[in-house]
Amino acid sequence: MPTRTADAPTRPLRVLMTYRALIPSVRWFGLEQFRQLEAQGKLELRAMPENKLKAADCNWADCVVLTRADTPFEGWLARQLKRMKRKLLYVLDDDLEHVPQGLGCSPYYRDPAVLWQAREIRGCCDVLVTHSPLLEEAYGADFAQVTRISQPAMLTQAQAARNASENRRKERTDAVRIGFSGSEDRAADVQQVLAAPLRALKARYGDQVELVFFGAHPPLIDELKGKFVPYTASAEDYYRTMAEQQLDIGLAPLEDNRFYRSKYYNKFVEYCTYGVPAVYSDLPPYRGVVRNGVDGVLCGTDEWFNALCALIEQPERRAEMARAALKRAEDFAPDKVSEYFWESLGAVVTAYRAPRARLSALALFAARIGCGVLFAIQTLKRRGWSALSIAYKRMKKRRGGRRI
């Protein structure tokens, strides 16, 4: 049996986070919480993209966090870390086995090879980290432990962005500014839920209302002559852009299906952080979190028009709701959600110190090459040979149109 390190009882927990890209799922469901906990002296953190990962990082860690892992390299890595007796945490913030058709990521997550790989990786992991009771019910049986996590409200950054926006405030009309903020692939479901009520709203109020969509670009926004603001992946740019929209009413629509019911209530956290009174679909994840009529409005499929009209015509109510939303954001302050997360992890994780074990740099290098080739083959199979044609044209363009 491997022996534990001599300093295990006294040194902090060592946590390694590795990821393909620094997407919101990585930042809001692990990285920010672990950064807070490191600042409090409760752990030591190394966080890096997979292409920067070294064997020494794996040898150093007690716990390793994998977010939405589903590639051949991540599968290989999970098996090696399990062999090394590292405590493996799997972060899941979406029901990726039930991504609706029509979303840009749907072909990827419906690929049998991707589904198989994700299941194999989950089978290697010890702890499921999720926000959703529905995801816990669907996937929790694959793990020895389930830990709940909440997205932090970055209050300091949001306040700075609001202040800067007010200082640079441009003249704006008296129109009530109604808007949506979300990722690019939300266009289809936003169009489905909001097309009819927003058309009716513009027909009634005309230029008295102004529509702003940040991130998603449904056909509706052009039809109703609204404003579109392209999505930004940078958190800092997101704070600034969100504040600059100066929304009077936020929109948080969801289609009623298993995938969207399992999502996090991040729109609620974001709108509260910016003091925006918003209207939310009366579905999980918002049901049970939004205090209806206090810090937001819940509405059914056929109630959007009436709910929006009521807020448009009652500015005092909007102002009161905005104050309540800002107050509610304090419940999601980084120190609070990080402490909750630490307690939820429990001693099984927080007191764990891994035994000495070694992963060689050569094995890691070889796995990168081999798994990279396998991933490329899977991608070609999924996209067809058109992917090769696209790659060829891009390379030819870089070479100035010369034959290659």
Side-chain angles (χ1 to χ4, degrees), residues 2 8 23 53 62 67 102 110 149 154 190 205 211 214 221 262 276 278 328 336 359 374 384 396:
I23 59 175
L53 180 68
D62 297 311
T67 304
R110 287 172 174 264
I149 193 169
M154 308 307 287
V190 168
Y205 295 101
L211 300 179
F214 173 27
I221 196 68
S262 299
V276 178
R328 185 70 187 282
K336 290 185 179 180
L359 176 67
L374 178 57
K396 189 176 179 181

Side-chain angles (χ1 to χ4, degrees), residues 22-34:
L22 189 54
I23 59 175
S25 299
V26 172
R27 181 159 190 172
W28 304 133
F29 295 99
L31 183 56
E32 290 297 337
Q33 290 86 343
F34 283 125

Side-chain angles (χ1 to χ4, degrees), residues 57-361:
D57 299 315
C58 300
N59 299 338
W60 167 87
D62 297 311
C63 297
V64 181
V65 184
L66 303 174
T67 304
R68 300 164 67 119
D70 55 22
T71 66
F73 176 73
E74 289 167 326
W76 177 88
L77 184 62
R79 292 191 297 274
Q80 299 309 307
L81 293 168
K82 182 178 181 180
R83 172 187 62 79
M84 297 166 67
K85 298 193 183 319
R86 272 41 183 170
K87 189 72 71 174
L88 294 180
L89 280 62
Y90 189 93
V91 178
L92 188 62
D93 64 329
D94 275 321
D95 192 346
L96 298 177
E97 292 199 359
H98 296 88
V99 176
Q101 287 186 330
L103 293 187
C105 60
S106 177
Y108 178 82
Y109 286 112
R110 287 172 174 264
D111 186 331
V114 174
L115 290 169
W116 176 86
Q117 188 68 78
R119 290 166 187 160
E120 185 190 44
I121 294 170
R122 292 199 300 268
C124 292
C125 294
D126 305 288
V127 181
L128 172 65
V129 178
T130 187
H131 63 277
S132 170
L134 297 178
L135 292 177
E136 179 179 349
E137 181 181 345
Y139 301 102
D142 297 338
F143 301 85
Q145 178 182 339
V146 178
T147 292
R148 291 290 182 86
I149 193 169
S150 296
Q151 175 182 336
M154 308 307 287
L155 303 175
T156 303
Q157 295 90 329
Q159 182 61 57
R162 287 201 304 273
N163 292 342
S165 179
E166 288 298 321
N167 292 337
R168 299 192 307 269
R169 189 180 181 94
K170 300 176 182 178
E171 278 192 30
R172 52 170 290 189
T173 66
D174 292 331
V176 176
R177 190 169 290 185
I178 303 172
F180 171 82
S181 169
S183 58
E184 297 164 310
D185 63 359
R186 291 293 311 279
D189 72 288
V190 168
Q191 176 81 14
Q192 177 69 25
V193 176
L194 293 181
L198 291 187
R199 286 189 187 114
L201 208 67
K202 286 293 284 184
R204 170 178 286 193
Y205 295 101
D207 292 339
Q208 295 177 21
V209 297
E210 180 182 358
L211 300 179
V212 180
F213 276 57
F214 173 27
H217 192 172
L220 171 73
I221 196 68
D222 296 326
E223 173 192 335
L224 299 180
K225 297 180 171 55
K227 174 185 176 183
F228 169 67
V229 181
Y231 182 76
T232 173
S234 162
E236 288 68 28
D237 288 343
Y238 188 91
Y239 300 134
R240 174 183 53 78
T241 307
M242 183 77 172
E244 287 175 350
Q245 306 320 306
Q246 298 173 352
L247 297 179
D248 298 304
I249 302 172
L251 302 169
L254 287 177
E255 281 192 285
D256 188 5
N257 59 45
R258 174 171 172 169
F259 177 75
Y260 287 116
R261 281 175 170 260
S262 299
K263 290 187 77 66
Y264 185 65
Y265 44 85
N266 60 304
K267 294 291 175 292
F268 178 67
V269 175
E270 290 173 7
Y271 287 140
C272 285
T273 302
Y274 290 90
V276 178
V279 182
Y280 305 85
S281 288
D282 187 11
L283 294 168
Y286 300 121
R287 186 186 297 157
V289 177
V290 178
R291 294 179 298 182
N292 192 26
V294 178
D295 46 30
V297 176
L298 294 169
C299 73
T301 305
D302 300 324
E303 299 170 348
W304 279 90
F305 176 72
N306 290 334
L308 290 169
C309 288
L311 287 179
I312 290 170
E313 295 172 5
Q314 300 176 54
E316 298 85 1
R317 184 186 178 206
R318 291 203 309 270
E320 183 179 348
M321 196 173 290
R323 288 190 293 271
L326 275 174
K327 182 68 176 175
R328 185 70 187 282
E330 296 174 7
D331 293 344
F332 302 96
D335 57 339
K336 290 185 179 180
V337 299
S338 299
E339 185 61 32
Y340 168 79
F341 177 49
W342 182 254
E343 292 174 359
S344 182
L345 283 172
V348 172
V349 175
T350 60
Y352 184 75
R353 302 297 180 268
R356 295 186 186 278
R358 183 175 178 274
L359 176 67
S360 76

Side-chain angles (χ1 to χ4, degrees), residues 387-397 402-404:
L388 280 180
S389 175
I390 292 170
Y392 175 83
K393 289 177 182 177
R394 287 177 178 171
M395 188 176 297
K396 189 176 179 181
K397 185 177 180 180
R402 298 193 303 273
R403 292 180 63 87
I404 54 177

